[in-house]
Amino acid sequence: MKQPMFSIIIPVYNAEKYLQECLESVVNQTCQDYEAIIIDDGSGDSSGKICDSYARKYEQISVYHKMNAGPMLARKDGILRAQGRYCLFLDADDFYDKRLIEIVRKFLTEEELDLLIFGKHTVYRNKMYAGRLPVKDFSCVEKKRMLSEFMKSDRFNSVYTKAIKRDRILPYLNSLYQDACYAEDMLQSANFIMVSDKIGLLGRNLYYYRIRKGSLVHQQSAVRIEERLQMEKNVIDYIDTEGYLTENDKEAYLKKTLNDFMECIYRLNHGKTGGKTDREELKTLRELPFVGELLQKGLIKGIACYNKPRAYLFMRENYRTLILIDYILLAIQTTVLFIKREKGFP
């Protein structure tokens, strides 16, 4: 069998509601130069059966069933089984533009790229929200500049908006890919940029990312926040070890991380009673070494205006007032959305 240009890695875990739309977006691509490798990561619903039915119908699709180990290790398993020159990634509740492979193939071939980064649409409550990348159409980007962009903006975190040469990432699978379920994309994306000599940025939204309340990224808890912080620490340590960390990039990354952390705290406080347990959760997070590194006055001054006073309260361990303010902010947000007759992101 001829080597396909692309291996599409699809981790699947309890995604029966959206899985058919996901897989239809693959089999109906205008360019068929691909194989699709589905890793059923211990699904307990009918996802495994749906995947098997597609594998029987389409010879380009292979399915492997395994015990649940999280999306990062599922992707690792898929990459090891892949035969394509490039890897693409797709989450089971998302879907592709029908021309994604055709368009990505064109730019990878013509520009001889190691890595291509493209844009996405966000889908929430049947509405589309177009993402924006800092390029009008296409541009080659120097590695150091791409790392700087990655470290100051969340929009480059996700692996599913990237096509990467498979042989570039194979040597790092054992050292970087780990049992992680939250913010795991960040370390993979940093690795993709780090190992690529020629990088392209394509300002077209070819991926449809679905926000749903039941997904892992929206299940907020102190444990999840700590896991995210650890992954963010791993990212900056990795870039530093490889010798690419500048002081400016470090400051930008820490500001971004602190801002994201305060957003996580806001979500954690949603629905809380303001009792002892809530304050103990916040205290536990406050005592984490990396949080102490983030809570510097110079960094706090550089985050979003509404997060600055919240960060000072958290730094000074005034948890009761912080929880009260978050209740007030939530009430204001809910009222504004009601007046606008809109539903905000969860």
Side-chain angles (χ1 to χ4, degrees):
M1 181 177 176
K2 178 186 173 184
Q3 180 189 28
M5 182 162 185
F6 295 102
S7 294
I8 305 173
I9 314 300
I10 312 174
V12 174
Y13 179 72
N14 292 349
E16 61 183 4
K17 183 177 179 180
Y18 306 104
L19 189 52
Q20 183 172 347
E21 183 178 22
C22 170
L23 297 179
E24 284 295 315
S25 77
V26 173
V27 299
N28 290 316
Q29 286 290 305
T30 55
C31 175
Q32 294 286 304
D33 192 3
Y34 72 86
E35 63 171 355
I37 299 175
I38 301 173
I39 306 297
D40 174 23
D41 194 27
S43 296
D45 61 4
S46 63
S47 294
K49 293 180 180 179
I50 295 171
C51 294
D52 287 339
S53 69
Y54 272 84
R56 286 192 295 269
K57 188 175 181 180
Y58 300 97
E59 64 177 11
Q60 290 163 283
I61 296 178
S62 302
V63 180
Y64 301 92
H65 304 276
K66 62 191 289 290
M67 296 289 289
N68 180 256
M72 199 170 190
L73 289 182
R75 290 188 196 121
K76 175 183 177 181
D77 195 7
I79 294 167
L80 287 171
R81 296 177 184 276
Q83 298 296 319
R85 288 179 56 210
Y86 288 87
C87 286
L88 282 164
F89 302 88
L90 177 59
D91 283 358
D93 47 1
D94 302 336
F95 56 98
Y96 280 166
D97 181 289
K98 67 179 181 180
R99 294 186 62 210
L100 183 145
I101 291 178
E102 175 190 342
I103 293 170
V104 169
R105 187 179 190 277
K106 173 180 180 293
F107 283 96
L108 288 173
T109 303
E110 290 180 357
E111 303 293 337
E112 298 181 341
L113 301 173
D114 299 316
L115 171 66
L116 179 65
I117 302 171
F118 45 89
K120 68 178 180 183
H121 292 282
T122 298
V123 182
Y124 181 61
R125 295 184 183 271
N126 298 318
K127 288 186 178 182
M128 301 284 185
Y129 301 85
R132 292 182 180 179
L133 294 182
V135 60
K136 287 186 177 180
D137 187 44
F138 174 81
S139 177
C140 284
V141 185
E142 196 266 337
K143 182 189 298 188
K144 288 184 179 179
R145 183 196 154 196
M146 193 65 246
L147 275 173
S148 294
E149 292 290 336
F150 167 79
M151 296 194 77
K152 70 183 182 184
S153 173
D154 287 334
R155 59 187 164 183
F156 298 107
N157 286 355
S158 304
V159 296
Y160 48 69
T161 55
K162 297 176 177 69
I164 178 74
K165 269 188 179 176
R166 180 172 170 268
D167 61 9
R168 292 279 172 158
I169 57 176
L170 278 175
Y172 299 89
L173 294 184
N174 289 332
S175 60
L176 292 182
Y177 286 59
Q178 54 195 264
D179 183 4
C181 297
Y182 199 59
E184 81 288 341
D185 284 24
M186 297 175 64
L187 187 58
Q188 291 175 268
S189 293
N191 174 245
F192 289 2
I193 297 169
M194 198 77 70
V195 300
S196 299
D197 293 325
K198 194 167 184 183
I199 301 170
L201 199 57
L202 180 63
R204 303 188 194 181
N205 296 326
L206 303 175
Y207 191 95
Y208 290 84
Y209 166 67
R210 191 191 310 274
I211 290 183
R212 57 187 180 96
K213 285 190 175 182
S215 62
L216 277 174
V217 72
H218 297 295
Q219 295 174 13
Q220 204 60 265
S221 67
V223 173
R224 292 286 183 200
I225 294 173
E226 184 173 354
E227 185 175 338
R228 179 186 179 94
L229 284 168
Q230 183 58 56
M231 188 59 68
E232 288 169 326
K233 182 70 165 62
N234 291 347
V235 169
I236 196 169
D237 287 347
Y238 169 63
I239 294 173
D240 190 20
T241 300
E242 294 296 316
Y244 280 92
L245 186 64
T246 67
E247 285 301 316
N248 287 340
D249 287 346
K250 179 180 179 180
E251 182 179 356
Y253 182 80
L254 293 177
K255 286 178 181 177
K256 179 189 76 168
T257 303
L258 175 58
N259 202 66
D260 290 345
F261 175 68
M262 294 313 301
E263 295 288 347
C264 289
I265 293 296
Y266 176 61
R267 290 186 178 183
L268 179 67
N269 287 336
H270 285 186
K272 296 293 186 179
T273 62
K276 183 178 179 181
T277 304
D278 307 314
R279 295 194 297 275
E280 286 180 351
E281 285 182 322
L282 295 177
K283 182 179 179 182
T284 299
L285 291 170
R286 175 66 180 86
E287 292 173 351
L288 295 174
F290 190 42
V291 172
E293 185 178 345
L294 294 175
L295 291 172
Q296 303 174 34
K297 290 184 178 180
L299 296 177
I300 293 175
K301 289 179 180 179
I303 65 177
C305 291
Y306 61 88
N307 277 333
K308 289 178 186 178
R310 299 179 60 248
Y312 278 117
L313 287 170
F314 187 80
M315 181 175 67
R316 293 165 183 164
E317 302 181 29
N318 194 341
Y319 306 131
R320 189 185 298 274
T321 304
L322 176 60
I323 292 169
L324 177 60
I325 286 177
D326 282 353
Y327 274 129
I328 295 171
L329 288 173
L330 177 60
I332 293 171
Q333 181 187 38
T334 303
T335 302
V336 170
L337 291 172
F338 177 77
I339 292 172
K340 291 183 177 180
R341 299 182 183 276
E342 293 180 359
K343 297 279 190 179
F345 286 169

